[in-house]
């Protein structure tokens, strides 16, 4: 799913408004010409023409701005001819000022356009990295229909520490991972990539969820600490909360291991059931550090028609202007009958409305519907 318009789409929308906005500087030029020619000799409105290229630079490119500057200069020359003042020092100074201002506006446009092209190149690389790191979830996996939603806190960011992934196993089940890496910035992205890589490499071949959890914890700890001096091993902790799930194709249950992550929600009609395990384990990265080596699997019913919602704390900890948390468990049943994609669209719009378009933390959600085999 796409949750923010691409740069090309935003530029297309922006350019689509240019013809309409050109009415403003064009109208200013025409009005200034008419009024100045008809006004008494002691009234001169020609200096207002400088506003035409200055306004155009706000919404158009260098060529359109140059054209508007040329029209403004032409209009000033026309006013001078019609009023018989073209050879006066005042009118010639106004023409020279228009030329200078127009040249400055065009220069500003050229610098801005060059930076936008550079930004576009950077964003293209970021989008390519995102497609590799946070791959789209499969729409179908056995009897499951799946959809994923990622909402970055930073409007211009594509990636953060929230993550999700899916994998099929040889014993006819689907395994899912959703997690939230500590911190933000490049460090969180690097650790998210590490955890996703470890999951994709092992999820299909580890026999049980506990063995998979042990593998992820060991891989995460080894990679994040292998180059760190021994005295710093416990001072800069890297960890990730996560949930590992295994959903069999032919058994109406879901098995999960919770590593310090918010519990999933199971929607059956309008009834919401948090899948809170009896044992919540330490986050990934803390496993052996505190002498913890065993993971307990919890099993919950997951029948045909049920909707399973996995999410990160960026959803439930999103606050509105009054400081109130987003009431996820209360809102979710309103869209429980929708397919996973539609559910996430409703959730995205409602969450953005709640926070007035600004999230304080990244948010990720995965919706899974069990269909008849």
């Amino acid at each position: 799913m796409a949750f923010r318009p691409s740069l090309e789409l935003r530029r297309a929308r922006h350019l689509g408004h240019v013809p309409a906005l050109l009415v403003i500087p064009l109208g200013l030029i025409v009005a200034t010409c008419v009024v100045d020619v008809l006004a008494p000799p002691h009234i001169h409105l020609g200096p207002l023409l400088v506003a035409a290229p200055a306004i155009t630079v706000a919404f158009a490119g260098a060529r359109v701005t140059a054209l508007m500057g040329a029209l403004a200069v032409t209009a000033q020359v026309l006013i001078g001819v019609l009023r018989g003042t073209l050879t006066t020092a005042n009118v010639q100074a106004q023409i020279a000022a228009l030329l200078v201002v127009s040249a400055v506006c065009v220069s500003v446009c050229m610098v801005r356009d060059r930076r936008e092209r550079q930004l576009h190149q950077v964003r293209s690389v970021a989008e390519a990295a995102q497609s590799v790191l946070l791959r789209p979830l499969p729409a179908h996996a056995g009897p499951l229909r799946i959809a994923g939603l990622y909402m970055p806190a930073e409007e211009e960011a594509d990636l953060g520490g929230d993550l999700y992934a899916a994998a099929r196993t040889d014993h006819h089940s689907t395994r899912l991972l959703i997690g939230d890496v500590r911190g933000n910035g490049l460090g969180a992205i690097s650790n998210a990539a590490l955890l996703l890589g470890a999951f994709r490499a092992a999820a299909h071949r580890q026999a049980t969820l506990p063995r998979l959890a042990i593998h992820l914890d060991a891989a995460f700890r080894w990679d994040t600490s292998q180059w760190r001096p021994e005295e710093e091993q416990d001072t800069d902790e890297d960890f990730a909360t996560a949930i590992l799930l295994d959903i069999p194709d032919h058994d109406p249950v879901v098995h999960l291991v919770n590593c310090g992550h918010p519990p999933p929600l199971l929607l059956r009609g309008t009834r919401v059931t948090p899948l809170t395990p009896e044992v919540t384990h330490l986050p990934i990265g803390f496993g052996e550090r505190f002498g913890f080596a065993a993971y307990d699997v919890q099993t919950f019913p997951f029948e045909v028609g049920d909707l399973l919602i996995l999410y990160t704390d960026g959803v439930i900890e999103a606050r509105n202007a009054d400081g109130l948390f987003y009431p996820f468990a209360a809102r979710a049943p309103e869209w429980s009958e929708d397919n996973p994609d539609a559910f996430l669209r409703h959730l995205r719009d409602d969450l953005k409305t709640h926070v007035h378009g600004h999230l304080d933390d990244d948010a990720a959600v995965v919706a899974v519907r069990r269909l008849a085999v």
Side-chain angles (χ1 to χ4, degrees):
M1 297 178 64
F3 308 108
R4 188 181 63 248
S6 66
L7 181 61
E8 294 88 343
L9 181 57
R10 284 181 289 167
R11 286 177 61 89
R13 291 176 179 173
H14 175 73
L15 294 175
H17 293 292
V18 169
L21 293 174
L22 284 177
V23 173
I24 299 174
L26 286 174
L28 177 64
I29 292 174
V30 172
T32 302
C33 285
V34 172
V35 176
D36 205 331
V37 171
L38 298 179
H42 64 279
I43 296 178
H44 302 281
L45 299 180
L48 288 177
L49 292 171
V50 75
I55 292 174
T56 307
V57 74
F59 60 83
R63 293 183 179 179
V64 177
T65 302
L67 174 61
M68 205 57 58
L71 290 176
V73 172
T74 302
Q76 182 64 72
V77 172
L78 179 62
I79 291 173
V81 171
L82 294 177
R83 300 191 65 167
T85 57
L86 182 60
T87 58
T88 63
N90 185 36
V91 172
Q92 291 179 358
Q94 292 178 22
I95 293 174
L98 270 174
L99 289 171
V100 171
V101 171
S102 298
V104 170
C105 290
V106 171
S107 299
V108 170
C109 281
M110 294 176 66
V111 172
R112 184 191 62 196
D113 290 347
R114 182 169 64 250
R115 290 182 177 178
E116 286 186 352
R117 287 193 296 270
Q118 292 173 345
L119 176 62
H120 171 59
Q121 293 174 350
V122 171
R123 287 187 58 81
S124 297
V125 173
E127 289 173 0
Q130 181 188 32
S131 65
V132 173
L133 177 57
L134 198 62
R135 300 173 190 170
L137 294 172
H140 295 275
L144 307 179
R145 186 166 182 180
I146 307 172
L149 165 67
Y150 183 82
M151 298 177 65
E154 297 291 339
E155 184 179 356
E156 295 301 322
D158 285 303
L159 292 173
D162 290 12
L163 57 97
Y164 51 69
R168 288 287 290 173
T169 68
D170 294 334
H171 53 277
H172 304 292
S173 72
T174 300
R175 284 183 173 168
L176 293 167
L177 163 70
I178 188 165
D180 185 359
V181 175
R182 171 185 178 269
N184 49 42
L186 292 178
I189 294 173
S190 176
N191 287 340
L194 165 64
L195 192 56
L196 286 168
F199 175 82
R200 290 169 181 151
H204 65 286
R205 58 185 176 84
Q206 292 293 342
T208 64
L209 283 184
R211 289 183 59 183
L212 177 59
I214 292 172
H215 171 82
L216 295 183
D217 183 83
F220 190 86
R221 285 186 295 101
W222 176 81
D223 196 274
T224 56
S225 63
Q226 62 172 321
W227 304 116
R228 189 179 300 161
E230 185 175 351
E231 62 272 12
E232 297 181 7
Q233 292 295 317
D234 295 326
T235 60
D236 185 18
E237 296 152 341
D238 293 299
F239 65 87
T241 65
I243 291 183
L244 294 168
L245 303 97
D246 188 273
I247 306 176
D249 290 351
H250 303 287
D251 194 4
V253 296
V254 54
H255 309 292
L256 66 85
V257 171
N258 190 319
C259 301
H261 200 77
L265 298 180
L266 182 70
L267 276 65
R268 182 171 296 164
T270 58
R271 189 176 66 195
V272 180
T273 304
L275 302 188
T276 305
E278 296 179 0
V279 178
T280 299
H281 301 286
L282 293 173
I284 299 294
F286 283 162
E288 292 184 1
R289 181 175 298 178
F290 295 98
F292 191 88
Y295 290 91
D296 295 321
V297 177
Q298 306 288 310
T299 301
F300 299 92
F302 183 36
E303 301 177 356
V304 173
D306 289 350
L307 186 64
L308 182 64
I309 309 299
L310 317 173
Y311 56 93
T312 60
D313 58 10
V315 176
I316 57 176
E317 293 181 0
R319 297 174 182 263
N320 62 11
D322 297 324
L324 300 177
F325 290 115
Y326 180 66
F328 186 35
R331 298 286 179 84
E334 298 178 12
W335 319 301
S336 61
E337 298 303 322
D338 295 329
N339 62 54
D341 294 284
F343 177 91
L344 293 185
R345 284 195 298 269
H346 287 303
L347 171 61
R348 176 195 60 197
D349 296 340
D350 193 55
L351 183 57
K352 284 186 175 181
T353 300
H354 179 79
V355 299
H356 302 288
H358 177 71
L359 283 170
D360 293 327
D361 190 12
D362 297 342
V365 187
V366 176
V368 184
R369 173 85 71 186
R370 181 185 283 278
L371 307 176
V373 180

